Amino acid sequence: MTDLISTPLLDKIHSPKDLRELDESDLPRVCSEIREYVIDSVSRTAGHLASGLAVVELTTALHYVFNTPDDKIIFDVGHQSYPHKILTGHKEELKTIRKKDGLHAFVYRGETEYDVLTTGHASTSVGSALGLAVANRNRHSENKVVAVIGDGALSGGAAYEGLNCAGSVKDVDLIVILNDNEMSISENVGSVASYLSSILASPYYVKLINGGKKVLEKLPAIQQLALKAQEHVKGMVMPGTLFEELGFNYIGPIDGHDVNNLVSILHNVKKIGGLQFVHVVTKKGKGYEPAENNPTLYHGVPVFDPDTGEFIKCENRKVCSFSDNFGKWLCDRAFSDDKLVGITPAMPVGSGMVSFSKEYPQQFFDVGIAEQHAFIFASGLAAGGMHPVIAIYSTFLQRAYDGLIHDLAIQNLPVVVAIDRGGIVGPDGPTHQGMFDIAFMRCIPNLIIMTPSSLNEQYLLLNTAYKSMKPCVVRYERASLDVEEEKIPLSATVEIGRAKVLRQGKKVALCCFGSIVSKLKDLSDRYDLTLVDMRFVKPLDVELLKELAKTHEAVISIEEGVVQGGIGQEVYFTVKQANEKVRVELLGLKDEFIMEGSRDELLSEQGLDAASVEKLLLDIGI
């Protein structure tokens, strides 16, 4: 790996105020240094890469033109914010990003005075920025508000709800910038489009249009004809008709990597006021060839060699992640079942669905960042005779809670929900820890909830869920586990609601939900404990718990989810009802938001590792 790079201009910038003191001719060099620094830093720490590289010029131009932090910039999604963090005083701290007590992985409210709102999930910027803009209006403030939305976030319904609402609000200044880094609207930025963008951003053009409207107010027929003519002319060369209909003045498309042109246009947009929609076209991974060639692979990266782009891996045993194992199960099942349909809300890579999407493209649907729609869509598929499987991260499932209840459970439809990233995810921080799913799901009637402890158990439980023809959840952690020699056939299932006793011991029973079971096998052997893989959160194996209550002095419930409202509370009630004298301990996640850190660090901090369980056993007096 290379030595630390030289960034002489960037070293002088400790805040956007320092940036604004530079001559505009220095900005291309500033952008070059930011890009080099991001590549070098992320190569050492791991993290999000391609998205941040796409917005280097845009972020620089925004902080150069707008008087931040008095003017507010909301980045959506937050993983494109690395250049923003550098320019707002966190250059040296970038090496700590996503680490325990380091920089937050995304934009986090209060990290600096420039971070007014947390944006860990997508599609929230427009609504939040509109709220800030209305607050400015009501407080008679002339400060500006800018929402930077990109990386597919415009596919989320919440973004359009914000745009639609903005169009109905009077006398509000709001600038929405679309960072179009996937060419989702325009295929290219031609010279004619660029020239027209500069015209549309001109205050003189806006005054001309507004003046013409006033002149023609008393001639409504001619006014309507003129407005239609303007709309059709713009529609022929511009892709922004939709945004115009929502009440925004559309400007674009603009080359997002020409920092000086961006500065010029943003200066004009700043003067215009009202609702402005600026369409900026960028290239994901810009300036780093491996990321440009494969932006999906370099979206979130492990440690890598910046000279070659090769990921640095340390593997000394045969392991597989729950995500990849799920993808294997999907392909195995689809081979002989054309009713299976795989659905994901914009997470095909993280959910292990890439191979499935290529091998069975007619049975695969990526619905974009539209979690609730994924569930509504699945309900229609199921009602139409198909058998949908939704792959979704635990933290994004929060956005689809109504779909889980209304569209699946109430209608008792045969849909399998594969919940990835349950429990501690680690470096992505509080917006991504899958803490709450067990607690908010276990109260839903008709829903079967399973927690696999190993790769083979995951395969078995996915089979069981699929064959049950009921709404089922299979919830697993962000973990890689040893690959087992035994191959599970597609026909193999388990009895719904039946736990599995892995070891019969004395005095203390460890009742585990999820992969923590594998970490406690040695402990159970050393202390002669009963070790139970509970398998099912719902229905809970009540009969086994009652039996344990009669034959043990203590029962310890362990789940990688919040204790408050978690399944441990039902374990406690069941055991105590069977034998009031039995000691019951509940281990799970504390009543707090969990910040960044490695998965092992955070599990230890939360008391969910073998050492913490052993300490509890010693306190009990085993």
Side-chain angles (χ1 to χ4, degrees):
M1 295 178 69
T2 58
D3 295 329
L4 287 172
I5 60 170
S6 174
T7 54
L9 265 179
L10 201 55
D11 291 343
K12 300 175 183 178
I13 299 173
H14 305 290
S15 73
K17 183 180 178 182
D18 296 331
L19 175 69
R20 291 191 284 270
E21 289 177 357
L22 295 178
D23 189 271
E24 190 177 323
S25 62
D26 291 326
L27 295 185
R29 181 57 201 163
V30 171
C31 293
S32 178
E33 290 186 11
I34 292 173
R35 182 166 280 112
E36 290 173 10
Y37 190 82
V38 168
I39 294 167
D40 183 75
S41 182
V42 175
S43 75
R44 301 168 188 271
T45 64
H48 292 98
L49 181 65
S51 300
L53 295 179
V55 295
V56 169
E57 288 80 10
L58 176 58
T59 304
T60 302
L62 284 167
H63 279 299
Y64 192 78
V65 170
F66 291 92
N67 186 33
T68 53
D70 294 331
D71 293 336
K72 309 298 183 189
I73 303 174
I74 311 298
F75 285 93
D76 178 359
V77 287
H79 58 236
Q80 63 180 325
S81 66
Y82 287 23
H84 164 75
K85 289 178 184 286
I86 291 171
L87 290 173
T88 55
H90 284 316
K91 174 178 176 286
E92 295 304 318
E93 293 172 82
L94 197 65
K95 65 174 70 76
T96 71
I97 197 164
R98 303 173 78 245
K99 294 182 179 179
K100 197 170 186 302
D101 302 321
L103 272 186
H104 290 287
F106 304 96
V107 177
Y108 196 76
R109 173 173 166 79
E111 184 166 63
T112 69
E113 60 183 331
Y114 302 91
D115 304 311
V116 65
L117 287 166
T118 297
T119 52
H121 290 181
S123 312
T124 62
S125 61
V126 178
S128 296
L130 176 60
L132 287 167
V134 170
N136 280 349
R137 182 197 68 183
N138 291 357
R139 292 187 298 107
H140 308 291
S141 168
E142 295 185 1
N143 292 327
K144 300 295 182 179
V145 181
V146 183
V148 182
I149 186 167
D151 243 20
L154 199 62
S155 67
Y160 288 96
E161 291 171 17
L163 290 169
N164 183 57
C165 182
S168 66
V169 178
K170 294 183 178 180
D171 304 320
V172 67
D173 283 351
L174 173 63
I175 300 167
V176 176
I177 297 180
L178 171 61
N179 166 31
D180 181 6
N181 64 10
E182 296 292 347
M183 303 299 186
S184 58
I185 294 180
S186 63
E187 292 184 1
N188 56 66
V189 181
S191 58
V192 173
S194 295
Y195 176 67
L196 285 171
S197 296
S198 65
I199 293 175
L200 296 178
S202 167
Y204 302 107
Y205 169 82
V206 175
K207 286 180 181 178
L208 175 65
I209 295 299
N210 290 339
K213 289 178 181 177
K214 288 182 179 179
V215 170
L216 296 174
E217 277 178 355
K218 295 181 180 179
L219 301 169
I222 298 177
Q223 183 188 42
Q224 284 299 110
L225 178 64
L227 289 173
K228 286 292 182 185
Q230 180 203 20
E231 179 180 311
H232 284 301
V233 170
K234 290 179 74 173
M236 283 190 293
V237 291
M238 298 294 176
T241 306
L242 168 64
F243 306 110
E244 295 272 0
E245 293 293 334
L246 289 169
F248 284 78
N249 177 47
Y250 173 85
I251 300 164
I254 300 164
D255 182 356
H257 298 300
D258 183 342
V259 66
N260 297 114
N261 186 48
L262 280 170
V263 166
S264 175
I265 287 177
L266 289 175
H267 270 305
N268 283 337
V269 171
K270 183 179 178 181
K271 294 174 187 175
I272 294 172
L275 296 177
Q276 304 297 324
F277 190 97
V278 184
H279 179 185
V280 176
V281 177
T282 62
K283 185 172 183 61
K284 199 167 182 177
K286 175 69 175 179
Y288 187 55
E289 188 174 354
E292 286 190 23
N293 293 339
N294 197 339
T296 300
L297 181 64
Y298 284 85
H299 169 77
V301 295
V303 174
F304 66 96
D305 184 338
D307 295 329
T308 65
E310 292 181 2
F311 296 159
I312 299 171
K313 298 181 180 180
C314 297
E315 293 184 1
N316 20 17
R317 59 194 175 101
K318 193 175 181 183
V319 296
C320 177
S321 70
F322 274 130
S323 305
D324 289 339
N325 197 50
F326 163 71
K328 179 182 180 302
W329 175 85
L330 265 183
C331 291
D332 291 348
R333 177 63 64 182
F335 179 76
S336 58
D337 188 347
D338 60 6
K339 289 186 177 180
L340 181 146
V341 177
I343 304 168
T344 182
M347 288 293 159
V349 177
S351 295
M353 300 180 76
V354 173
S355 295
F356 174 76
S357 68
K358 292 177 179 178
E359 292 180 35
Y360 302 97
Q362 298 302 314
Q363 293 170 252
F364 170 75
F365 293 89
D366 182 347
V367 299
I369 302 174
E371 293 87 357
Q372 187 176 3
H373 168 66
F375 281 73
I376 297 169
F377 177 48
S379 71
L381 285 166
M386 304 303 286
H387 204 158
V389 178
I390 305 171
I392 189 169
Y393 288 9
S394 168
T395 186
F396 300 147
L397 178 65
Q398 295 161 191
R399 296 173 148 218
Y401 191 53
D402 182 63
L404 195 62
I405 297 172
H406 178 275
D407 301 295
L408 268 60
I410 287 179
Q411 302 182 73
N412 208 22
L413 287 167
V415 178
V416 177
V417 184
I419 301 179
D420 205 332
R421 271 67 166 176
I424 297 292
V425 296
D428 285 340
T431 56
H432 283 61
Q433 312 290 9
M435 301 169 59
F436 309 110
D437 50 11
I438 291 176
F440 69 60
M441 289 190 299
R442 73 182 190 91
C443 59
I444 302 175
N446 287 345
L447 195 63
I448 298 170
I449 307 170
M450 313 178 196
T451 55
S453 59
S454 67
L455 298 175
N456 276 2
E457 279 290 318
Q458 181 194 29
Y459 205 97
L460 266 173
L461 295 182
L462 285 166
N463 285 347
T464 303
Y466 195 79
K467 290 197 167 189
S468 73
M469 299 304 290
K470 297 179 181 297
C472 289
V473 163
V474 181
R475 185 257 199 192
Y476 41 91
E477 297 88 10
R478 185 180 192 176
S480 293
L481 301 166
D482 290 326
V483 175
E484 299 154 270
E485 294 298 325
E486 179 189 3
K487 301 299 180 184
I488 305 298
L490 283 170
S491 58
T493 60
V494 301
E495 182 182 346
I496 290 177
R498 182 59 59 90
K500 182 180 182 181
V501 178
L502 300 178
R503 186 187 188 282
Q504 187 65 52
K506 301 174 183 176
K507 290 188 178 181
V508 178
L510 304 178
C511 296
C512 306
F513 298 86
S515 63
I516 193 169
V517 166
S518 61
K519 298 178 181 179
L520 300 180
K521 287 179 180 177
D522 290 343
L523 197 65
S524 64
D525 287 338
R526 280 193 284 124
Y527 287 94
D528 193 17
L529 310 175
T530 296
L531 183 63
V532 184
D533 179 358
M534 293 300 294
R535 279 181 167 168
F536 289 86
V537 168
K538 188 173 186 178
L540 190 63
D541 193 337
V542 172
E543 293 306 314
L544 175 62
L545 288 173
K546 288 180 178 178
E547 182 63 29
L548 294 174
K550 295 174 185 176
T551 56
H552 291 73
E553 296 175 12
V555 173
I556 302 176
S557 173
I558 309 172
E559 62 186 299
E560 203 172 311
V562 289
V563 171
Q564 293 198 6
I567 187 57
Q569 293 185 342
E570 190 172 343
V571 171
Y572 182 94
F573 174 79
T574 303
V575 171
K576 284 292 187 179
Q577 195 176 44
N579 184 355
E580 180 63 33
K581 295 180 181 180
V582 175
R583 179 168 179 170
V584 183
E585 296 287 343
L586 308 183
L587 297 184
L589 303 178
K590 301 171 186 175
D591 186 26
E592 62 189 21
F593 288 106
I594 300 171
M595 299 300 163
E596 290 82 356
S598 73
R599 183 166 152 77
D600 286 342
E601 282 176 331
L602 297 177
L603 286 172
S604 175
E605 188 178 78
Q606 293 291 317
L608 289 177
D609 61 347
S612 299
V613 176
E614 184 173 20
K615 184 179 182 301
L616 176 59
L617 289 170
L618 296 174
D619 290 343
I620 290 174
I622 185 67

